[in-house]
Amino acid sequence: LGVLPKSRKWNQVVAELRLGADIDVIAASAADAAETALQGASKDPAFLHAFWLLTQVPLAARGPNFVEDLRRLGVQVSDQPGLMDVVAAVSGAVDRYAREQGGRTDLGEMAQMAAVESLTSLVGRDLPSLFEPGPGEAQRAIGRYAGGDRFSALAREFFGRLTQRSLDYYLSRELNNHVGAGERFRDDAARFQFNEALNQHCGEASRIVEAFAGGWYGKNVYQGDGLTPDDVRRFAPVAFKKIRAELRKRRDAE
């Protein structure tokens, strides 16, 4: 993973770790220090394609030609796909798109995983089992996320997971230096608890995305001409900006 960049902002993050600062302080400082990288996320081809597919796959599931519509999106599924088949095909579609656009990036991989995990986690809750339900049940469960309220939850899950992965991408380079007697983390279990707290904190901060993603989705899909990759490209930087602002707000409130 290498080491943290040698900048004033990242040095502040290291100092906060040593001083035992709360998770909200560290998360906000890390987001500030990684601001350029997070801004770049909104331009990464794999990220943009992963999020665009999250807007399109539920719409395909709402229609009568689910499999054909998925294939037109580049999501190559079998004739009767279950949830895990769809999830694997979405991951493969992002892979192919990234290669066509010049190759994979670490950020693109994190976005790909966040998309896969978000679909599996949320849609899976509506199924009796991830592996036993029939294709029709999986299609109906996915299609429920084509509405504004449900899509807003999917967007929040995606951006929360991606924010956590992005911050952990940097913080994990430093955390091992703070494990042991007299350090921030007494042992690996304490560090694991920190990672869990970071995950929860990013998930809570991403609620700000949920607040406006549903309206954005409904306006474009049901009141406009549909969602295009350009629409996603305009939405993404606003979402990241709101999450960074929310992280700072939570820090300052403390």
Side-chain angles (χ1 to χ4, degrees), residues 77-93:
V77 293
S78 61
D79 290 339
Q80 293 185 316
L83 174 59
M84 300 311 294
D85 299 316
V86 173
V87 166
V90 166
S91 181

Side-chain angles (χ1 to χ4, degrees), residues 23-246:
I23 189 69
D24 53 347
V25 173
I26 294 173
S29 296
D32 282 344
E35 182 173 3
T36 300
L38 290 176
Q39 287 175 338
S42 61
K43 301 177 184 177
D44 186 276
F47 159 78
L48 291 170
H49 198 62
F51 186 57
W52 181 69
L53 286 177
L54 286 186
T55 71
Q56 300 301 304
V57 170
L59 289 172
R62 276 280 182 93
N65 303 307
F66 182 41
V67 170
E68 292 80 358
D69 288 342
L70 285 180
R71 290 171 180 170
R72 277 194 287 271
L73 294 171
V75 180
Q76 301 301 321
V77 293
S78 61
D79 290 339
Q80 293 185 316
L83 174 59
M84 300 311 294
D85 299 316
V86 173
V87 166
V90 166
S91 181
V94 176
D95 263 337
R96 288 190 297 275
Y97 186 82
R99 287 196 299 269
E100 292 169 0
Q101 298 300 312
R104 297 167 62 88
T105 65
D106 291 345
L107 185 61
E109 288 191 22
M110 288 187 278
Q112 178 184 13
M113 294 179 71
V116 166
E117 290 169 351
S118 298
L119 272 176
T120 304
S121 175
L122 293 188
V123 177
R125 296 174 193 173
D126 297 331
L127 295 172
S129 166
L130 287 179
F131 299 98
E132 294 179 4
E137 291 177 290
Q139 179 181 347
R140 285 191 293 274
I142 295 170
R144 294 188 185 109
Y145 288 87
D149 289 345
R150 284 294 190 99
F151 176 79
S152 63
L154 183 60
R156 174 187 174 179
E157 187 82 7
F158 173 75
F159 278 98
R161 288 177 180 274
L162 182 55
T163 299
Q164 185 274 330
R165 284 185 175 278
S166 299
L167 298 187
D168 183 66
Y169 175 75
Y170 290 101
L171 289 174
S172 59
R173 308 179 194 190
E174 179 66 22
L175 293 181
N176 278 344
N177 297 327
H178 302 268
V179 179
E183 297 292 343
R184 166 66 184 268
F185 309 111
R186 181 179 63 258
D187 50 30
D188 286 337
R191 178 186 163 174
F192 176 78
Q193 290 176 348
F194 174 88
N195 288 340
E196 290 295 295
L198 178 65
N199 184 39
Q200 180 179 348
H201 191 71
C202 291
E204 292 172 352
S206 66
R207 186 176 299 155
I208 192 68
V209 174
E210 185 176 20
F212 77 101
W216 169 80
Y217 188 80
K219 179 180 179 181
N220 283 277
V221 172
Y222 298 108
Q223 300 176 28
D225 298 324
L227 273 167
T228 68
D230 283 339
D231 293 323
V232 169
R233 193 174 291 110
R234 288 189 291 269
F235 175 86
V238 177
F240 278 119
K241 182 178 180 180
K242 286 182 175 291
I243 290 176
R244 292 198 307 273
E246 182 66 15

